[in-house]
Amino acid sequence: MASKQQEPGAGADQSNGTGGDGAAIIAVQDLVKVYGGGHGPGRQEPVRALAGLGFSVKAGEFFGFLGPNGSGKTTSIRIITTLLAKTSGTVRVAGYDLEREPEAIRRVIGYTGQSIGVDGELTGRENLTLLGRLYHLPAATVKTRVEEVLTVLDLTEAANRPAYTYSGGMRRRLDLGSGLLHYPRILFLDEPTTGLDPQTRNAVWEYLRHLHKEQDMTIFLTTQYMEEADQLCQRLAIIDKGQIVAEGTPAQLKAEIGADVITVRIPRDAAFENARDRALALVRGIPTVKRAAVFDEGISVHAENGGATLLDIVRMMDAENLPIHHVALSHPSLDEVFLQHTGRAMRVEEVKPMSRMPFNRRRR
Amino acid sequence: MAAQTHMATQAQPPRLVAPEGVSAASGSMFAEILWVAGRSLRKLTRNPMVLFFSLMTPVIWLVLFSQMFAKLFAQGASGGVALPYDYVAVMLPGVATMTTIQSASQSGFGMVADIESGFMDKFFVSPIRRSSVLSGKLLADGLRMAAQATLILLIAFFFKLVAGWRIPFATGILGAALLVVLTAAFGVAFSGLSNAVALRTKNTEATMMVSFSLTFPLLFLSTAMLPKGLLPGWVQAFSAVNPVSYLADASRDLILTGYDWAEVGSAAVAIVILGAILNGFAVSAFRAQGK
């Protein structure tokens, strides 16, 4: 189905923060990435990972990309951080053109990738010192800075141990630290908390909030967690199938829904589609219902006065002998926003840390 | 929002503010290469066992095979006339060559590991020249191979002293140093293959297969283990175009007879040609990263 759902009066405010805004520190236009399609044996069909992405981020903003696996988050962030070549489009970071001045961009950005790029055989301090030197900072500055970063990330005690002895959370923190050594103006984080336990996740969130607040750092984060986007991002873009389907502050996005959300799941048997269509027709006849749409497990209904409407729906469906598997009433969350814009519920595919170790290629 | 309240109660970590006038800048390529090489060498010191075991094979060859084949060689080479040196002296440069080829074959492993761990991204997202990443790695590899060749010569010299092995070392320390440089340079040249395969496949097994399947044919279809005159005709034909032979011939003269600048010159040319081709592949594979 089309990635961008057209619904008059309910679409995201696409112009928000974009356009000729002079303060844009990241400006992306018509970004396209097509993978593969080369020649020779073993080449796959070309895959269009980014289908004309456009957005901008203001200086000092905490901006996020929210989307499921394979939606193009990592591809976007790798292109913007100069790690991956784009197929077409224009990208400007901190006023520099990606194509002509990638080196200037590299000097002002910090990057923390999805896989934790830490050398396990080196100690935490050695990892940071090496990466600090790569920015051609004076040796004395690197030394002071490494100690600062170790302190901020609470790694001073473990600093002289090889990084392979670190816990997952410590490694993630060290990785985060390696992107901060050169006082970057913009920090890019690709799924910084995927695979972390809730406690460590909270700790990472606090560090990020601290960096953003205390340093006026612009932060660009990708995530597949609704909660993370909601908690951290001042503004976010929902990305699906290589396109931005909605953009705004978390509050704006949720306000768009403007009503309680009732989700009715229908048993997925042979009669599923028929039952779903009939339920949809019924529900649309209820006066309090503002919008109703099908999704892959049933129907999703936006209504004022959700409690009463829910009862109406159940009664009506029961009278028509339509089966109900599960009913839920909720206030709008980013889940509903995603559902509304893509017609699918967003599922998080939890990736076990092990599966990202040597034998697998990195996900894109 | 509860988490934010919680944070406010925590002790504030120091502010991270850039000191006046400090900003990341570009700088000397030489320094970049040294940092990258320094990291590889430091990793090596973290695994002394790896370094130790990488010398086990050459020592076994020197101690075991040189003794086993000594008599055969003496008869074959001279028709019964006593030679002024042992077979081990003939084989010594070959063993140094073998060790360096093996090290060069494994050169790509580190590359694959860095790509998989995401460490390579740290290099690529920093402002250093991409070429410094490859050059730094080659420098570290070259130094490691030089150290290995030196150790092999020292072990042989040790046996000459304590066990009476007849190895002439005809050109003394300077010649030995030249042998070490040639051997390490050959290793750096040959490692281009392993790095190219590693960068193209990003797969350790593939890198291992390609390198290991080439090591022994290259070695035995050359003059590394036996002088040309003792090789069968078809092997002689192949060994003439095998770059390993040029290194082996030059090295052997340095040990057995003395400086033969024509041999050393041909070896240098062979190394430069091999290095230009194989490292050309590696550079192009390296440039293709992130495409």
Side-chain angles (χ1 to χ4, degrees):
Chain A
M1 78 179 282
S3 313
K4 193 170 261 180
Q5 187 162 331
Q6 301 297 341
E7 198 155 348
D13 181 12
Q14 294 287 345
S15 65
N16 181 28
T18 60
D21 189 347
I25 199 162
I26 305 171
V28 176
Q29 281 172 356
D30 300 322
L31 187 60
V32 173
K33 176 66 184 180
V34 180
Y35 284 116
H39 29 75
R43 295 293 176 138
Q44 307 113 323
E45 283 291 294
V47 177
R48 206 173 167 81
L50 296 181
L53 221 57
F55 66 95
S56 72
V57 180
K58 277 179 265 178
E61 202 170 24
F62 203 135
F63 181 83
F65 258 8
L66 173 66
N69 276 336
S71 56
K73 299 189 301 293
T74 298
T75 299
S76 319
I77 208 167
R78 288 181 72 81
I79 289 174
I80 299 167
T81 55
T82 77
L83 287 171
L84 182 69
K86 60 187 165 60
T87 305
S88 66
T90 58
V91 176
R92 290 183 78 80
V93 179
Y96 301 109
D97 182 73
L98 176 74
E99 217 155 331
R100 284 182 289 117
E101 302 150 297
E103 205 192 304
I105 294 179
R106 288 183 196 130
R107 282 191 218 128
V108 295
I109 63 168
Y111 166 77
T112 295
Q114 216 174 82
S115 40
I116 299 182
V118 160
D119 188 332
E121 283 170 332
L122 302 184
T123 68
R125 188 173 272 123
E126 285 170 339
N127 266 287
L128 293 181
T129 307
L130 168 70
L131 294 170
R133 311 264 5 222
L134 298 182
Y135 288 84
H136 293 281
L137 296 171
T141 310
V142 173
K143 203 166 150 52
T144 326
R145 181 64 174 167
V146 164
E147 297 313 315
E148 275 175 17
V149 169
L150 285 170
T151 311
V152 171
L153 298 181
D154 202 13
L155 287 169
T156 311
E157 271 174 52
N160 287 332
R161 275 172 26 207
Y164 71 81
T165 63
Y166 288 14
S167 68
M170 290 164 80
R171 245 183 264 206
R172 179 46 92 183
R173 261 144 56 203
L174 182 60
D175 191 35
L176 205 56
S178 71
L180 298 174
L181 293 156
H182 55 293
Y183 309 95
R185 291 167 61 194
I186 314 166
L187 186 60
F188 289 89
L189 304 153
D190 193 9
E191 298 198 16
T193 64
T194 296
L196 293 184
D197 58 87
Q199 201 185 344
T200 314
R201 183 171 298 171
N202 276 323
V204 170
W205 287 358
E206 282 188 19
Y207 289 125
L208 295 181
R209 281 198 196 99
H210 168 77
L211 285 172
H212 176 244
K213 214 167 93 184
E214 298 294 310
Q215 314 253 323
D216 298 323
M217 203 182 271
T218 308
I219 301 186
F220 182 156
L221 159 144
T222 73
T223 184
Q224 47 174 333
Y225 301 117
M226 306 282 175
E227 197 197 348
E228 187 161 278
D230 209 353
Q231 286 267 320
L232 293 176
C233 298
Q234 294 171 321
R235 207 159 55 83
L236 57 97
I238 293 181
I239 178 169
D240 186 46
K241 295 177 182 164
Q243 281 190 314
I244 290 175
V245 294
E247 198 180 332
T249 67
Q252 277 173 347
L253 290 172
K254 285 186 279 193
E256 258 172 46
I257 304 229
D260 294 333
V261 181
I262 302 157
T263 317
V264 183
R265 289 186 159 78
I266 297 168
R268 297 206 53 148
D269 52 25
F272 170 73
E273 283 191 19
N274 180 30
R276 187 173 66 169
D277 292 346
R278 284 174 58 206
L280 185 68
L282 274 180
V283 164
R284 282 190 166 152
I286 301 173
T288 48
V289 169
K290 291 178 73 182
R291 279 197 299 281
V294 297
F295 73 108
D296 53 4
E297 291 175 38
I299 58 173
S300 152
V301 182
H302 300 162
E304 291 159 39
N305 198 357
T309 312
L310 184 144
L311 285 174
D312 287 346
I313 294 173
V314 172
R315 278 197 208 103
M316 289 172 79
M317 285 182 70
D318 196 43
E320 294 279 323
N321 272 329
L322 289 169
I324 296 177
H325 171 59
H326 182 263
V327 185
L329 171 66
S330 59
H331 301 297
S333 72
L334 289 176
D335 289 87
E336 275 74 42
V337 178
F338 185 82
L339 183 69
Q340 190 197 330
H341 286 283
T342 65
R344 284 177 291 118
M346 181 161 156
R347 273 191 203 84
V348 172
E349 291 166 46
E350 201 56 79
V351 180
K352 286 187 209 122
M354 273 314 287
S355 71
R356 290 195 280 137
M357 298 304 278
F359 297 106
N360 277 337
R361 297 262 200 105
R362 211 183 352 247
R363 284 174 297 149
R364 287 237 142 92
Chain B
M1 296 305 113
Q4 265 167 344
T5 336
H6 170 60
M7 188 195 164
T9 62
Q10 279 206 333
Q12 284 298 316
R15 285 170 63 94
L16 300 176
V17 179
E20 278 300 302
V22 170
S23 72
S26 56
S28 133
M29 178 167 82
F30 187 63
E32 293 172 357
I33 293 173
L34 284 187
W35 297 326
V36 177
R39 176 228 172 194
S40 297
L41 292 174
R42 200 182 280 251
K43 280 165 75 74
L44 208 60
T45 65
R46 297 296 141 86
N47 282 311
M49 292 311 275
V50 171
L51 204 56
F52 176 77
F53 282 107
S54 74
L55 285 172
M56 286 300 284
T57 320
V59 170
I60 288 171
W61 278 77
L62 279 183
V63 175
L64 219 63
F65 292 98
S66 68
Q67 306 306 305
M68 279 169 62
F69 300 129
K71 225 171 237 171
L72 279 174
F73 173 77
Q75 286 166 358
S78 60
V81 181
L83 287 168
Y85 48 81
D86 289 333
Y87 174 54
V88 71
V90 174
M91 204 176 142
L92 180 58
V95 171
T97 306
M98 177 183 75
T99 311
T100 215
I101 289 181
Q102 274 175 349
S103 287
S105 305
Q106 291 158 17
S107 177
F109 294 179
M111 205 73 98
V112 178
D114 280 348
I115 291 172
E116 276 172 346
S117 74
F119 199 85
M120 194 62 94
D121 286 344
K122 301 280 178 196
F123 283 138
F124 283 174
V125 85
S126 84
I128 66 166
R129 296 160 182 81
R130 305 235 158 162
S131 63
S132 301
V133 179
L134 198 56
S135 312
K137 171 150 180 47
L138 290 179
L139 175 62
D141 282 350
L143 289 174
R144 178 166 75 119
M145 292 186 260
Q148 285 174 325
T150 308
L151 277 169
I152 289 167
L153 292 181
L154 285 176
I155 290 166
F157 187 69
F158 172 78
F159 279 107
K160 176 187 165 93
L161 292 182
V162 302
W165 283 5
R166 292 184 302 158
I167 307 174
F169 289 111
T171 50
I173 287 187
L174 282 182
L178 181 57
L179 190 159
V180 166
V181 169
L182 284 176
T183 307
F186 184 90
V188 169
F190 191 63
S191 66
L193 176 69
S194 175
N195 284 322
V197 174
L199 288 165
R200 289 288 179 197
T201 63
K202 298 181 178 65
N203 180 308
T204 313
E205 284 86 354
T207 310
M208 200 154 23
M209 293 299 268
V210 170
S211 322
F212 284 4
S213 59
L214 276 174
T215 306
F216 280 97
L218 274 179
L219 209 59
F220 287 101
L221 298 177
S222 79
T223 54
M225 293 300 167
L226 286 172
K228 196 176 175 194
L230 293 182
L231 295 172
W234 67 274
V235 177
Q236 280 188 29
F238 188 87
S239 78
V241 293
N242 185 346
V244 176
S245 298
Y246 293 89
L247 172 67
D249 291 346
S251 306
R252 184 169 294 135
D253 286 339
L254 290 171
I255 297 284
L256 294 185
T257 52
Y259 293 104
D260 182 336
W261 293 110
E263 293 276 16
V264 171
S266 337
V269 170
I271 288 167
V272 168
I273 293 173
L274 183 76
I277 295 172
L278 295 184
N279 283 297
F281 289 146
V283 167
S284 99
F286 198 69
R287 288 223 178 103
Q289 299 301 303
K291 286 286 186 275

